[in-house]
Amino acid sequence: MLLSAGDPGAAAADRYEARLIDRFDGIVVCSPEDQALLGGRPARLVRNGYDRERIGRYAPSAGSRRILFIGPFRAPNNWHGIRDFLEQAYPQVEAAVPGVALTILGGRGARNMAAAHACFARPSIEVVDSVDDVRPWLAACAVTINPQTELRGSSLKLVESLAAGRVCVTTRAAARGMPVEDFAGIVAVPRVRDFTVPLVWLLLDEARRLALERPDAQRLAPYSWAAAGDELRAYVREVAEIGNGVRSTFG
């Protein structure tokens, strides 16, 4: 969904998208923020989530000083976000934390893209192309980062980090769709440049980090794909019963 929040320059595009949305019998959104953009249209919230079986068991991050960013560069918000982090925060983190390292899972062609920019050229930075399974990378890191400055929907990388038992340092914008105050493992700051302080203390104060990172199964339960599937099936049945046919818009 591309509806804007009070942007006069996008009014015409918003009206066009609203007309398309109104052609459907059901509307599904994945974050409360998306729901708020619908102007009072009824919609069902079906959250993005994580696969409990795929994430596996929690293992503490003890002994690691590795930061992980999961974000395919094909998405502009990932590409710009990680470059902002490397230019505005990572040099200070590297100077303050002995042995720190950063792994970037940038997707297909990521190494070639990174090679053209000096900010990726530090020896402590590893850029990885496509991977089939993020679990080993999550297990090897101490913390994850989510330095996006804008987002629609909600962040899968944040949910997966929490489920794996890794604290995520994120911008508030990139924590969209998540109740930040409910999760000890979310450290949200206003801007990418503000990542330095929380990352330094999380990496140097291991006892404090370990106390924050353990997954909260009860709070995470609504964010599993199983819960999302149950919610979506129930909504499809409701729409079918009302309209004798199902057409759904996914936001």
Side-chain angles (χ1 to χ4, degrees):
M1 181 167 60
L2 300 176
L3 292 172
S4 304
D7 180 1
D14 284 353
R15 287 194 296 271
Y16 174 75
E17 186 174 2
R19 288 196 296 271
L20 294 179
I21 290 172
D22 288 339
R23 294 168 55 188
F24 291 84
D25 300 315
I27 306 172
V28 176
V29 296
C30 64
S31 71
E33 292 87 344
D34 281 345
Q35 203 162 23
L37 293 174
L38 289 171
R41 292 173 177 83
R44 181 63 58 89
L45 175 61
V46 179
R47 301 180 187 277
N48 273 325
Y50 72 99
D51 187 332
R52 283 180 289 194
E53 298 301 322
R54 183 172 174 81
I55 290 295
R57 291 186 175 183
Y58 162 67
S61 67
S64 177
R65 287 188 173 177
R66 181 170 295 276
I67 302 167
L68 176 67
F69 175 66
I70 304 171
F73 290 173
R74 66 176 181 271
N77 54 347
N78 287 329
W79 173 239
H80 295 303
I82 192 59
R83 288 174 59 192
D84 287 345
F85 174 74
L86 293 177
E87 293 167 357
Q88 299 175 21
Y90 188 66
Q92 292 82 1
V93 175
E94 187 180 51
V97 181
V100 70
L102 170 64
T103 298
I104 302 167
L105 306 186
R108 182 179 300 175
R111 283 193 289 252
N112 288 336
M113 290 180 68
H117 296 269
C119 60
F120 290 91
R122 295 174 177 272
S124 63
I125 298 173
E126 177 186 22
V127 179
V128 180
D129 286 340
S130 300
V131 299
D132 294 327
D133 189 351
V134 300
R135 284 178 296 181
W137 305 94
L138 284 166
C141 79
V143 295
T144 69
I145 56 170
N146 192 16
Q148 298 168 314
T149 56
E150 58 182 75
L151 185 70
R152 284 302 176 91
S154 63
S155 176
L156 287 175
K157 62 173 69 70
L158 199 161
V159 177
E160 289 183 343
S161 179
L162 294 173
R166 295 297 181 266
V167 176
C168 182
V169 180
T170 179
T171 57
R172 293 193 179 279
R176 194 175 192 270
M178 295 293 294
V180 172
E181 296 77 11
D182 289 352
F183 290 94
I186 300 177
V187 178
V189 296
R191 302 163 300 180
V192 175
R193 70 183 65 178
D194 300 323
F195 277 42
T196 302
V197 170
L199 281 173
V200 169
W201 66 252
L202 283 165
L203 293 168
L204 293 181
D205 190 344
E206 185 169 280
R208 188 175 180 186
R209 184 180 78 241
L210 294 177
L212 295 175
E213 72 181 20
R214 181 174 289 277
D216 187 327
Q218 184 174 353
R219 285 194 168 96
L220 281 168
Y223 298 89
S224 72
W225 285 127
D230 290 343
E231 189 68 36
L232 182 59
R233 279 192 295 271
Y235 184 53
V236 169
R237 291 191 192 100
E238 290 177 20
V239 174
E241 290 172 0
I242 293 171
N244 295 319
V246 180
R247 295 172 292 159
S248 293
T249 292
F250 289 82

